[in-house]
Amino acid sequence: MDVVAKMAGKKAVVIFSKSTCCMCHAIERLFYEQGASPEIHELDRELRGKEMEMALSRLGCSPAVPVVFIGGKFIGSANTVMTLHLNGSLKKLLKEAGAIWL
């Protein structure tokens, strides 16, 4: 869990995903479309990917990816991110974290 927490705090937006996951790709695109430049960690390409996936599962994420952190804070999986986007809260979080300016 320490590795995940350390990685999650390195940039304003951090996404843990898998290269073969279509929902991960959709969430990544959403952030790019918002003007953010997320740091993306594809667990199937990370040396300690399985360990990180288990740590993310312990946070309550099912499936374990995609998982989003904004400003070092655990946001959640695709459902949570989409809810925030649809109710207008996602942009506010991105601004507060310094991920976008406008």
Side-chain angles (χ1 to χ4, degrees):
M1 188 61 191
D2 292 337
V3 172
V4 170
K6 188 175 182 179
M7 294 170 96
K10 283 189 175 182
K11 209 162 177 209
V13 178
V14 177
I15 301 173
F16 291 91
S17 71
K18 287 188 177 179
S19 62
T20 58
C21 172
C22 62
M23 187 55 73
C24 294
H25 179 72
I27 293 297
E28 292 166 14
R29 294 295 318 145
L30 172 65
F31 281 95
Y32 287 122
E33 289 169 4
Q34 298 300 309
S37 181
E39 181 169 305
I40 298 168
H41 296 281
E42 292 180 336
L43 299 181
D44 55 336
R45 295 184 175 172
E46 293 277 342
L47 186 60
R48 297 174 70 185
K50 283 288 185 195
E51 179 183 329
M52 289 186 273
E53 188 173 352
M54 288 177 14
L56 292 169
S57 292
R58 285 193 295 273
L59 285 175
C61 297
S62 179
V65 292
V67 175
V68 175
F69 289 81
I70 298 176
K73 180 183 170 204
F74 172 67
I75 299 301
S77 60
N79 287 341
T80 304
V81 171
M82 290 307 296
T83 299
L84 292 170
H85 174 59
L86 292 173
N87 72 23
S89 302
L90 182 61
K91 251 201 202 304
K92 181 180 181 228
L93 288 174
L94 293 172
K95 286 178 186 175
E96 289 172 356
I100 59 174
W101 295 273
L102 301 173

